Amino acid sequence: MLRGYVMKDKKTVLLGITGGIAAYKMADVASALVKSGCNVRVIMTENATKFISPMVFETLTSSKCLVDTFDRDFEFDVKHISLAKEADVVLIAPATANVIGKMANGIADDMLTTTVLACKCTKIVAPAMNTNMYENPVVRDNIAKLMMYGFEIIPAASGHLACGDSGKGKLPDKNTLIEYILRALNGKKDLIGKRILITAGPTREALDPVRYITNHSSGKMGYALARAAAFRGADVTLISGPVSLPKPLFTKVIDVISAEDMFNAVKDNYENQNIIIKAAAVADYTPVSVADNKIKKSDSDMSIPLKRTTDILKFLGENKKPGQFICGFSMETENMLDNSRKKLEKKNADMIVANSLVTGGAGFGTDTNIVTLITKDNIKEYDIMSKEKVADTILDAIINGF
Protein backbone atom coordinates (compact mmCIF):
# COMPACT_ATOMS: atom_id res chain seq x y z
CA MET A 1 0.00 0.00 0.00
CA LEU A 2 3.04 2.28 0.30
CA ARG A 3 3.65 1.81 -3.43
CA GLY A 4 3.52 5.12 -5.25
CA TYR A 5 3.34 7.23 -2.09
CA VAL A 6 6.15 9.78 -2.03
CA MET A 7 6.77 11.65 1.22
CA LYS A 8 7.37 15.25 0.11
CA ASP A 9 8.67 16.31 3.55
CA LYS A 10 10.09 14.00 6.17
CA LYS A 11 7.32 13.48 8.70
CA THR A 12 7.57 12.14 12.23
CA VAL A 13 5.33 9.21 13.14
CA LEU A 14 5.06 8.35 16.81
CA LEU A 15 4.09 4.73 17.44
CA GLY A 16 2.66 3.92 20.85
CA ILE A 17 2.79 0.18 21.54
CA THR A 18 0.94 -1.35 24.47
CA GLY A 19 0.85 -4.77 26.14
CA GLY A 20 -1.12 -6.95 23.74
CA ILE A 21 0.00 -10.06 21.89
CA ALA A 22 -0.25 -8.13 18.61
CA ALA A 23 2.62 -5.87 19.70
CA TYR A 24 5.04 -7.97 17.67
CA LYS A 25 3.19 -7.02 14.46
CA MET A 26 4.22 -3.40 14.89
CA ALA A 27 7.80 -4.19 13.87
CA ASP A 28 6.62 -4.56 10.27
CA VAL A 29 4.69 -1.29 10.51
CA ALA A 30 7.73 0.59 11.83
CA SER A 31 9.95 -0.88 9.12
CA ALA A 32 7.53 0.01 6.30
CA LEU A 33 7.18 3.58 7.55
CA VAL A 34 10.94 4.05 7.71
CA LYS A 35 11.24 2.76 4.13
CA SER A 36 8.57 5.25 3.03
CA GLY A 37 10.67 8.14 4.30
CA CYS A 38 9.14 8.74 7.72
CA ASN A 39 11.04 9.54 10.88
CA VAL A 40 9.65 6.91 13.26
CA ARG A 41 9.77 7.20 17.03
CA VAL A 42 8.48 4.48 19.34
CA ILE A 43 7.15 4.53 22.89
CA MET A 44 6.31 1.25 24.59
CA THR A 45 4.49 0.54 27.81
CA GLU A 46 6.24 -1.68 30.33
CA ASN A 47 3.84 -4.51 29.52
CA ALA A 48 4.54 -4.19 25.80
CA THR A 49 8.20 -5.00 26.41
CA LYS A 50 7.12 -8.43 27.66
CA PHE A 51 5.90 -9.27 24.14
CA ILE A 52 8.67 -7.72 22.01
CA SER A 53 12.02 -6.18 22.85
CA PRO A 54 12.53 -2.42 22.52
CA MET A 55 15.81 -3.26 20.77
CA VAL A 56 13.81 -4.48 17.76
CA PHE A 57 12.33 -1.01 17.24
CA GLU A 58 15.61 0.75 17.99
CA THR A 59 17.28 -1.31 15.26
CA LEU A 60 14.50 -0.64 12.75
CA THR A 61 14.13 3.10 13.45
CA SER A 62 17.68 4.06 14.49
CA SER A 63 16.11 5.90 17.45
CA LYS A 64 15.90 5.12 21.14
CA CYS A 65 12.68 3.35 22.09
CA LEU A 66 11.28 5.06 25.17
CA VAL A 67 9.61 3.16 27.99
CA ASP A 68 10.43 4.80 31.32
CA THR A 69 9.29 8.36 31.95
CA PHE A 70 12.21 8.81 34.38
CA ASP A 71 14.92 7.31 32.16
CA ARG A 72 18.02 9.51 32.53
CA ASP A 73 19.98 7.93 29.66
CA PHE A 74 19.33 10.61 27.03
CA GLU A 75 20.08 14.25 26.33
CA PHE A 76 18.37 16.65 28.72
CA ASP A 77 14.93 17.71 27.63
CA VAL A 78 11.43 16.97 28.83
CA LYS A 79 11.07 13.98 26.57
CA HIS A 80 7.32 13.47 26.59
CA ILE A 81 6.84 17.14 25.71
CA SER A 82 9.53 17.23 23.01
CA LEU A 83 8.18 14.06 21.39
CA ALA A 84 4.65 15.45 21.48
CA LYS A 85 5.82 18.58 19.68
CA GLU A 86 7.87 16.60 17.14
CA ALA A 87 5.12 14.16 16.14
CA ASP A 88 3.04 14.80 13.01
CA VAL A 89 0.79 11.84 13.78
CA VAL A 90 0.46 9.34 16.63
CA LEU A 91 -0.70 5.76 16.27
CA ILE A 92 -1.43 3.72 19.39
CA ALA A 93 -1.47 0.09 18.28
CA PRO A 94 -2.25 -2.37 19.63
CA ALA A 95 -4.32 -0.31 22.05
CA THR A 96 -5.38 -2.36 25.07
CA ALA A 97 -8.57 -1.75 27.05
CA ASN A 98 -6.38 -0.47 29.87
CA VAL A 99 -4.63 2.23 27.82
CA ILE A 100 -7.87 3.20 26.06
CA GLY A 101 -9.46 3.73 29.47
CA LYS A 102 -6.52 5.84 30.64
CA MET A 103 -6.49 8.07 27.56
CA ALA A 104 -10.27 8.49 27.60
CA ASN A 105 -10.17 9.74 31.19
CA GLY A 106 -7.03 11.86 31.10
CA ILE A 107 -4.86 9.52 33.16
CA ALA A 108 -1.16 10.01 32.40
CA ASP A 109 0.86 7.63 34.54
CA ASP A 110 3.50 6.37 32.10
CA MET A 111 5.59 7.64 29.19
CA LEU A 112 2.99 6.76 26.54
CA THR A 113 -0.12 8.25 28.13
CA THR A 114 1.81 11.33 29.28
CA THR A 115 3.08 11.99 25.76
CA VAL A 116 -0.30 11.40 24.10
CA LEU A 117 -1.94 13.84 26.51
CA ALA A 118 0.56 16.49 25.38
CA CYS A 119 0.10 15.84 21.64
CA LYS A 120 -1.85 18.27 19.43
CA CYS A 121 -1.37 16.30 16.20
CA THR A 122 -3.73 13.66 14.77
CA LYS A 123 -4.09 10.77 17.21
CA ILE A 124 -5.12 7.36 15.86
CA VAL A 125 -6.06 4.39 18.05
CA ALA A 126 -6.26 0.76 16.94
CA PRO A 127 -7.99 -1.29 19.68
CA ALA A 128 -6.95 -4.95 19.94
CA MET A 129 -8.23 -7.32 22.62
CA ASN A 130 -10.48 -10.26 23.39
CA THR A 131 -13.93 -10.01 21.81
CA ASN A 132 -15.75 -9.89 25.15
CA MET A 133 -13.49 -7.07 26.32
CA TYR A 134 -13.93 -5.20 23.03
CA GLU A 135 -17.71 -5.44 23.31
CA ASN A 136 -17.82 -4.56 27.03
CA PRO A 137 -19.98 -1.43 27.51
CA VAL A 138 -17.24 0.25 29.54
CA VAL A 139 -14.70 -0.20 26.74
CA ARG A 140 -17.23 0.90 24.10
CA ASP A 141 -17.95 3.99 26.20
CA ASN A 142 -14.23 4.79 26.50
CA ILE A 143 -13.78 4.41 22.74
CA ALA A 144 -16.74 6.75 22.18
CA LYS A 145 -15.10 9.25 24.56
CA LEU A 146 -11.88 9.17 22.58
CA MET A 147 -13.82 9.86 19.38
CA MET A 148 -15.59 12.76 21.10
CA TYR A 149 -12.18 14.16 22.06
CA GLY A 150 -10.99 14.00 18.44
CA PHE A 151 -9.15 10.68 18.35
CA GLU A 152 -9.57 8.61 15.19
CA ILE A 153 -10.48 4.99 15.85
CA ILE A 154 -9.53 2.14 13.51
CA PRO A 155 -12.23 -0.54 13.89
CA ALA A 156 -10.88 -3.87 15.14
CA ALA A 157 -10.78 -6.72 12.64
CA SER A 158 -12.62 -10.01 13.05
CA GLY A 159 -11.09 -13.49 13.08
CA HIS A 160 -9.40 -16.08 15.24
CA LEU A 161 -7.88 -14.47 18.32
CA ALA A 162 -4.74 -15.49 20.21
CA CYS A 163 -6.84 -16.56 23.19
CA GLY A 164 -8.60 -19.14 21.01
CA ASP A 165 -11.87 -17.25 20.63
CA SER A 166 -13.20 -16.04 17.30
CA GLY A 167 -14.79 -12.64 16.82
CA LYS A 168 -14.01 -8.94 16.67
CA GLY A 169 -10.91 -7.68 18.41
CA LYS A 170 -7.95 -8.42 16.11
CA LEU A 171 -5.44 -5.74 15.27
CA PRO A 172 -6.06 -4.70 11.64
CA ASP A 173 -3.41 -5.70 9.12
CA LYS A 174 -0.27 -3.68 8.51
CA ASN A 175 -1.53 -2.06 5.32
CA THR A 176 -4.67 -0.77 7.02
CA LEU A 177 -2.67 0.81 9.85
CA ILE A 178 -0.29 2.43 7.38
CA GLU A 179 -3.10 3.79 5.20
CA TYR A 180 -4.57 5.60 8.22
CA ILE A 181 -1.16 7.10 8.96
CA LEU A 182 -0.50 8.16 5.37
CA ARG A 183 -3.93 9.76 5.08
CA ALA A 184 -3.24 11.77 8.24
CA LEU A 185 0.15 12.85 6.88
CA ASN A 186 -1.22 13.94 3.52
CA GLY A 187 -0.94 17.71 3.62
CA LYS A 188 -3.55 18.43 0.96
CA LYS A 189 -7.05 18.51 2.38
CA ASP A 190 -8.51 20.60 -0.44
CA LEU A 191 -11.38 18.20 -1.17
CA ILE A 192 -13.03 18.28 2.25
CA GLY A 193 -16.77 18.71 1.71
CA LYS A 194 -16.60 17.53 -1.91
CA ARG A 195 -18.38 14.44 -3.18
CA ILE A 196 -16.55 12.55 -5.92
CA LEU A 197 -17.82 9.65 -8.00
CA ILE A 198 -15.15 7.51 -9.72
CA THR A 199 -15.61 4.53 -12.01
CA ALA A 200 -12.83 1.96 -12.42
CA GLY A 201 -11.91 -1.34 -13.99
CA PRO A 202 -13.38 -3.34 -16.87
CA THR A 203 -16.89 -4.63 -17.45
CA ARG A 204 -17.81 -8.19 -18.37
CA GLU A 205 -20.48 -8.88 -20.98
CA ALA A 206 -21.79 -12.43 -20.63
CA LEU A 207 -22.14 -14.75 -23.63
CA ASP A 208 -23.36 -17.74 -21.63
CA PRO A 209 -22.87 -19.01 -18.05
CA VAL A 210 -19.21 -19.74 -18.81
CA ARG A 211 -17.88 -17.07 -21.18
CA TYR A 212 -17.82 -13.28 -21.34
CA ILE A 213 -16.35 -10.40 -23.36
CA THR A 214 -14.08 -8.01 -21.47
CA ASN A 215 -10.90 -5.92 -21.81
CA HIS A 216 -7.47 -5.65 -20.19
CA SER A 217 -8.26 -2.90 -17.67
CA SER A 218 -6.77 -3.63 -14.22
CA GLY A 219 -8.58 -0.81 -12.42
CA LYS A 220 -5.29 0.59 -11.07
CA MET A 221 -5.85 4.13 -12.38
CA GLY A 222 -9.37 4.44 -10.98
CA TYR A 223 -8.34 2.97 -7.64
CA ALA A 224 -5.39 5.37 -7.44
CA LEU A 225 -7.81 8.24 -8.05
CA ALA A 226 -10.15 7.01 -5.32
CA ARG A 227 -7.30 6.71 -2.83
CA ALA A 228 -5.87 10.14 -3.69
CA ALA A 229 -9.28 11.82 -3.43
CA ALA A 230 -9.99 10.17 -0.07
CA PHE A 231 -6.56 11.20 1.25
CA ARG A 232 -7.42 14.78 0.29
CA GLY A 233 -10.64 14.69 2.29
CA ALA A 234 -13.29 13.90 -0.33
CA ASP A 235 -16.38 11.78 0.21
CA VAL A 236 -15.60 9.15 -2.44
CA THR A 237 -17.92 6.70 -4.15
CA LEU A 238 -16.08 4.14 -6.28
CA ILE A 239 -18.05 2.11 -8.81
CA SER A 240 -15.81 -0.81 -9.71
CA GLY A 241 -15.90 -3.50 -12.33
CA PRO A 242 -14.30 -6.89 -11.56
CA VAL A 243 -10.67 -6.36 -10.48
CA SER A 244 -8.14 -8.18 -8.31
CA LEU A 245 -7.22 -5.09 -6.29
CA PRO A 246 -7.96 -4.65 -2.57
CA LYS A 247 -10.78 -2.21 -1.93
CA PRO A 248 -9.42 1.23 -1.05
CA LEU A 249 -10.12 2.40 2.49
CA PHE A 250 -12.16 5.52 3.24
CA THR A 251 -14.38 5.03 0.18
CA LYS A 252 -17.84 3.65 -0.54
CA VAL A 253 -17.32 0.86 -3.08
CA ILE A 254 -20.11 -0.36 -5.36
CA ASP A 255 -19.20 -3.58 -7.19
CA VAL A 256 -20.65 -4.11 -10.66
CA ILE A 257 -20.12 -6.63 -13.46
CA SER A 258 -21.61 -5.49 -16.77
CA ALA A 259 -21.80 -2.18 -18.62
CA GLU A 260 -25.50 -2.05 -17.81
CA ASP A 261 -24.72 -2.61 -14.10
CA MET A 262 -22.22 0.25 -14.19
CA PHE A 263 -24.63 2.57 -15.98
CA ASN A 264 -27.37 1.86 -13.43
CA ALA A 265 -24.99 2.44 -10.52
CA VAL A 266 -23.80 5.74 -12.02
CA LYS A 267 -27.37 6.82 -12.72
CA ASP A 268 -28.37 6.06 -9.12
CA ASN A 269 -25.47 8.02 -7.61
CA TYR A 270 -24.43 10.87 -9.95
CA GLU A 271 -26.91 13.63 -9.10
CA ASN A 272 -25.40 14.87 -5.83
CA GLN A 273 -21.76 14.54 -6.88
CA ASN A 274 -19.50 17.57 -7.27
CA ILE A 275 -16.95 15.76 -9.43
CA ILE A 276 -17.34 12.65 -11.60
CA ILE A 277 -14.30 10.88 -13.03
CA LYS A 278 -15.01 8.14 -15.57
CA ALA A 279 -11.85 6.04 -15.47
CA ALA A 280 -13.52 2.68 -16.15
CA ALA A 281 -13.01 0.84 -19.45
CA VAL A 282 -16.66 0.14 -20.21
CA ALA A 283 -17.57 -2.25 -23.03
CA ASP A 284 -19.01 -0.45 -26.05
CA TYR A 285 -20.88 -3.55 -27.17
CA THR A 286 -22.66 -6.42 -25.45
CA PRO A 287 -24.24 -9.62 -26.83
CA VAL A 288 -27.81 -9.23 -28.07
CA SER A 289 -28.77 -12.29 -26.04
CA VAL A 290 -27.15 -14.42 -23.36
CA ALA A 291 -27.45 -18.18 -23.71
CA ASP A 292 -28.97 -20.00 -20.74
CA ASN A 293 -26.58 -22.92 -21.20
CA LYS A 294 -22.98 -23.21 -22.33
CA ILE A 295 -22.69 -22.67 -26.07
CA LYS A 296 -21.34 -25.89 -27.51
CA LYS A 297 -18.49 -25.93 -30.00
CA SER A 298 -19.43 -26.79 -33.59
CA ASP A 299 -17.45 -27.36 -36.78
CA SER A 300 -18.64 -24.11 -38.31
CA ASP A 301 -17.52 -20.59 -37.39
CA MET A 302 -19.50 -18.72 -34.77
CA SER A 303 -20.88 -15.22 -35.08
CA ILE A 304 -22.11 -13.31 -32.03
CA PRO A 305 -24.64 -10.51 -32.67
CA LEU A 306 -23.77 -7.45 -30.58
CA LYS A 307 -25.61 -4.30 -29.61
CA ARG A 308 -24.40 -0.96 -28.28
CA THR A 309 -24.21 -0.43 -24.54
CA THR A 310 -25.44 2.80 -22.99
CA ASP A 311 -22.82 5.55 -23.30
CA ILE A 312 -22.32 6.54 -19.65
CA LEU A 313 -20.14 9.59 -20.31
CA LYS A 314 -22.65 10.88 -22.86
CA PHE A 315 -25.48 10.38 -20.36
CA LEU A 316 -23.56 12.36 -17.75
CA GLY A 317 -22.83 15.18 -20.20
CA GLU A 318 -26.46 15.40 -21.24
CA ASN A 319 -27.66 15.38 -17.63
CA LYS A 320 -24.93 17.46 -16.01
CA LYS A 321 -26.03 19.23 -12.84
CA PRO A 322 -25.15 22.88 -12.18
CA GLY A 323 -21.57 23.19 -10.96
CA GLN A 324 -20.77 19.54 -11.66
CA PHE A 325 -17.35 18.74 -13.16
CA ILE A 326 -17.18 15.71 -15.47
CA CYS A 327 -13.88 14.12 -16.43
CA GLY A 328 -13.63 11.28 -18.94
CA PHE A 329 -10.78 9.05 -20.10
CA SER A 330 -9.73 8.40 -23.67
CA MET A 331 -7.60 5.36 -24.49
CA GLU A 332 -6.42 5.55 -28.09
CA THR A 333 -4.08 3.69 -30.44
CA GLU A 334 -3.96 6.42 -33.10
CA ASN A 335 -4.84 10.11 -33.54
CA MET A 336 -5.00 10.46 -29.77
CA LEU A 337 -5.34 14.24 -29.55
CA ASP A 338 -7.90 14.64 -32.34
CA ASN A 339 -10.05 11.75 -31.11
CA SER A 340 -9.88 12.98 -27.52
CA ARG A 341 -10.83 16.55 -28.44
CA LYS A 342 -13.84 15.23 -30.35
CA LYS A 343 -14.81 13.13 -27.35
CA LEU A 344 -14.59 16.16 -25.05
CA GLU A 345 -16.97 18.15 -27.24
CA LYS A 346 -19.33 15.34 -28.21
CA LYS A 347 -19.80 14.11 -24.62
CA ASN A 348 -20.06 17.60 -23.08
CA ALA A 349 -17.26 16.75 -20.66
CA ASP A 350 -15.14 19.32 -18.82
CA MET A 351 -11.89 17.42 -19.16
CA ILE A 352 -10.52 14.36 -20.94
CA VAL A 353 -7.53 12.38 -19.71
CA ALA A 354 -5.98 10.96 -22.88
CA ASN A 355 -3.34 8.29 -23.22
CA SER A 356 -2.06 6.02 -25.93
CA LEU A 357 -2.04 2.25 -25.62
CA VAL A 358 0.98 2.04 -27.93
CA THR A 359 3.18 4.30 -25.76
CA GLY A 360 5.54 2.43 -23.48
CA GLY A 361 4.75 2.93 -19.79
CA ALA A 362 1.10 3.80 -20.44
CA GLY A 363 -2.03 1.75 -20.88
CA PHE A 364 -3.59 -1.23 -19.14
CA GLY A 365 -2.07 -3.14 -16.24
CA THR A 366 1.00 -0.94 -15.69
CA ASP A 367 1.94 0.93 -12.51
CA THR A 368 2.75 4.04 -14.57
CA ASN A 369 0.94 6.19 -17.07
CA ILE A 370 1.66 8.94 -19.60
CA VAL A 371 -1.29 11.29 -19.92
CA THR A 372 -2.40 14.42 -21.72
CA LEU A 373 -5.06 16.52 -20.04
CA ILE A 374 -7.47 18.23 -22.41
CA THR A 375 -10.07 20.89 -21.68
CA LYS A 376 -11.89 23.30 -23.99
CA ASP A 377 -9.14 25.90 -23.62
CA ASN A 378 -6.01 23.96 -22.65
CA ILE A 379 -3.92 20.92 -23.48
CA LYS A 380 -1.04 19.78 -21.30
CA GLU A 381 1.15 16.74 -21.85
CA TYR A 382 2.91 15.06 -18.93
CA ASP A 383 5.93 12.77 -18.75
CA ILE A 384 5.71 9.25 -17.39
CA MET A 385 4.53 9.13 -13.77
CA SER A 386 3.28 6.56 -11.30
CA LYS A 387 -0.49 6.18 -11.43
CA GLU A 388 -0.64 7.59 -7.90
CA LYS A 389 1.14 10.73 -9.11
CA VAL A 390 -1.12 10.88 -12.18
CA ALA A 391 -4.14 10.71 -9.86
CA ASP A 392 -2.94 13.72 -7.86
CA THR A 393 -2.14 15.59 -11.07
CA ILE A 394 -5.67 15.01 -12.39
CA LEU A 395 -7.21 16.17 -9.11
CA ASP A 396 -4.96 19.26 -9.08
CA ALA A 397 -6.09 20.13 -12.61
CA ILE A 398 -9.76 19.70 -11.71
CA ILE A 399 -9.47 21.88 -8.62
CA ASN A 400 -6.97 24.52 -9.71
CA GLY A 401 -6.78 24.29 -13.48
CA PHE A 402 -3.50 23.83 -15.36
Side-chain angles (χ1 to χ4, degrees):
M1 299 293 276
L2 287 174
R3 178 182 55 81
Y5 188 90
V6 179
M7 198 72 63
K8 294 183 177 62
D9 303 304
K10 199 172 186 70
K11 301 289 187 180
T12 296
V13 179
L14 177 59
L15 298 180
I17 303 170
T18 74
I21 184 63
Y24 77 93
K25 297 181 179 180
M26 297 305 294
D28 280 346
V29 175
S31 177
L33 289 169
V34 169
K35 290 175 182 176
S36 76
C38 294
N39 175 36
V40 180
R41 306 298 304 272
V42 179
I43 300 177
M44 300 177 71
T45 63
E46 186 67 37
N47 286 340
T49 65
K50 304 297 192 294
F51 293 96
I52 184 170
S53 168
M55 187 178 296
V56 172
F57 295 102
E58 290 175 345
T59 302
L60 292 172
T61 67
S62 302
S63 296
K64 182 176 178 61
C65 177
L66 299 176
V67 179
D68 182 2
T69 308
F70 301 102
D71 183 4
R72 307 306 303 158
D73 187 22
F74 52 77
E75 69 278 6
F76 182 76
D77 60 0
V78 184
K79 208 64 186 176
H80 68 280
I81 300 298
S82 62
L83 270 180
K85 290 180 178 178
E86 182 184 354
D88 295 294
V89 61
V90 177
L91 171 67
I92 301 96
T96 60
N98 180 54
V99 166
I100 288 171
K102 287 181 181 181
M103 294 188 298
N105 292 281
I107 297 172
D109 63 353
D110 60 14
M111 188 66 175
L112 176 57
T113 52
T114 303
T115 303
V116 171
L117 197 62
C119 284
K120 290 188 174 181
C121 63
T122 299
K123 295 178 281 288
I124 306 169
V125 177
M129 63 198 74
N130 170 268
T131 301
N132 292 335
M133 294 176 68
Y134 186 69
E135 294 176 350
N136 187 294
V138 173
V139 176
R140 302 311 305 169
D141 185 56
N142 284 332
I143 290 174
K145 275 187 181 180
L146 288 179
M147 293 175 68
M148 180 182 68
Y149 292 138
F151 285 72
E152 186 168 12
I153 306 297
I154 305 177
S158 296
H160 185 75
L161 305 177
C163 62
D165 292 345
S166 292
K168 203 163 189 179
K170 286 175 65 71
L171 184 70
D173 63 57
K174 175 187 74 173
N175 288 338
T176 297
L177 299 178
I178 291 172
E179 285 291 277
Y180 272 84
I181 291 172
L182 295 183
R183 183 180 64 156
L185 291 177
N186 188 69
K188 289 183 179 179
K189 297 298 180 188
D190 48 5
L191 289 175
I192 290 175
K194 299 293 185 182
R195 293 180 298 275
I196 299 184
L197 176 67
I198 298 169
T199 67
T203 61
R204 292 177 180 173
E205 310 306 313
L207 296 170
D208 60 25
V210 178
R211 306 175 183 90
Y212 55 80
I213 301 170
T214 190
N215 58 61
H216 296 291
S217 174
S218 65
K220 289 181 179 180
M221 191 66 252
Y223 274 58
L225 280 160
R227 182 189 188 217
F231 273 28
R232 291 166 75 155
D235 178 2
V236 180
T237 298
L238 175 64
I239 300 175
S240 175
V243 297
S244 59
L245 302 172
K247 286 181 169 55
L249 296 176
F250 322 118
T251 65
K252 174 187 176 184
V253 181
I254 301 173
D255 291 315
V256 298
I257 301 295
S258 68
E260 183 179 6
D261 294 337
M262 186 166 284
F263 169 69
N264 289 331
V266 169
K267 186 177 179 181
D268 289 343
N269 289 275
Y270 85 96
E271 289 191 3
N272 67 341
Q273 304 294 328
N274 302 112
I275 299 167
I276 301 173
I277 305 176
K278 277 280 289 94
V282 183
D284 293 322
Y285 294 90
T286 189
V288 171
S289 61
V290 180
D292 294 330
N293 298 302
K294 178 183 175 182
I295 300 170
K296 303 302 290 183
K297 181 171 62 175
S298 67
D299 292 334
S300 61
D301 293 335
M302 179 190 295
S303 63
I304 303 170
L306 302 175
K307 62 181 179 181
R308 283 297 308 268
T309 58
T310 303
D311 190 323
I312 301 175
L313 186 58
K314 182 180 179 183
F315 167 82
L316 291 169
E318 291 173 347
N319 295 275
K320 188 189 300 184
K321 302 301 176 183
Q324 211 169 51
F325 190 101
I326 297 175
C327 173
F329 271 64
S330 176
M331 171 72 75
E332 302 291 343
T333 58
E334 58 182 1
N335 302 323
M336 184 187 75
L337 289 180
D338 287 343
N339 289 336
S340 298
R341 283 196 197 97
K342 290 175 183 176
K343 187 172 187 177
L344 177 78
E345 183 177 351
K346 185 177 179 181
K347 306 297 176 67
N348 193 31
D350 297 290
M351 186 167 78
I352 292 293
V353 181
N355 59 0
S356 172
L357 188 59
V358 298
T359 302
F364 293 132
T366 64
D367 292 329
T368 58
N369 211 343
I370 302 171
V371 299
T372 299
L373 303 188
I374 302 171
T375 64
K376 181 180 178 181
D377 300 316
N378 291 297
I379 295 178
K380 185 168 183 179
E381 298 179 1
Y382 294 86
D383 294 329
I384 188 169
M385 296 183 282
S386 70
K387 285 186 173 174
E388 287 75 13
K389 178 62 176 175
V390 172
D392 264 326
T393 300
I394 292 169
L395 294 173
D396 286 342
I398 292 173
I399 298 166
N400 304 313
F402 58 91

